[in-house]
Amino acid sequence: MAANGGRGCAGCEAAPWAELTAEMRRIKCAAELSYGKLAQRTHYSRSSWERFLNQKQLPTRIAVEQFAAASGQDPRPLLVRLEHSLAHEAAGRGAGGVAGPVALAPAPRSGAPARRRTGPAGAVRPLGLVVAGALLGGLAAELTRAARLHRPR
């Protein structure tokens, strides 16, 4: 997160993350969706939606896409806001924020254990786990959707 809690940076009029979550909350209310209904319609839990929509955690691209599908919205405007938020967070880290650039460890030699990505002061960044989780989440959602389509009636 940026030094000021991910809610903008010096010189920014409005935080893009705040704009994203405000729009998602507006859509949620308009579609009359509770956190429980969002959890039923997506592969994210009720508590995950609470974190995403109350600016405790920036949602993933897949979460935004599933939110749009669950609420019957076009995901593109929300994804543009998400990309803007991610770029804003990255700029905040590069401009004296909490985290710095991520260093990629070289490929392991035969028999050597793989090293993890690290940030400043050796902080471990399990980026591979985040990516794997996102991919598995998307796969689970697609399998669930496919199973619903092919259920005998």
Side-chain angles (χ1 to χ4, degrees), residues 36-132:
K37 284 182 184 177
L38 281 170
Q40 289 173 350
R41 295 181 183 185
T42 66
H43 78 274
Y44 289 90
S45 68
R46 184 183 185 290
S47 60
S48 290
W49 287 115
E50 189 275 331
R51 287 191 305 273
F52 295 153
L53 297 176
N54 289 307
Q55 281 188 288
K56 295 176 184 176
Q57 180 181 352
L58 188 62
T60 64
R61 180 179 180 85
I62 294 171
V64 170
E65 289 171 345
Q66 289 188 10
F67 175 85
S71 60
Q73 298 291 313
D74 179 5
R76 291 175 290 194
L78 294 173
L79 291 172
V80 167
R81 283 190 166 109
L82 175 64
E83 294 302 323
H84 190 216
S85 299
L86 292 170
H88 189 265
E89 291 293 310
R93 285 191 303 267
V98 175
V102 175
L104 179 60
R109 285 174 251 119
S110 166
R115 296 192 301 187
R116 297 183 195 180
R117 294 173 183 241
T118 60
V124 174
R125 300 196 179 280
L127 185 58
L129 293 176
V130 172
V131 171

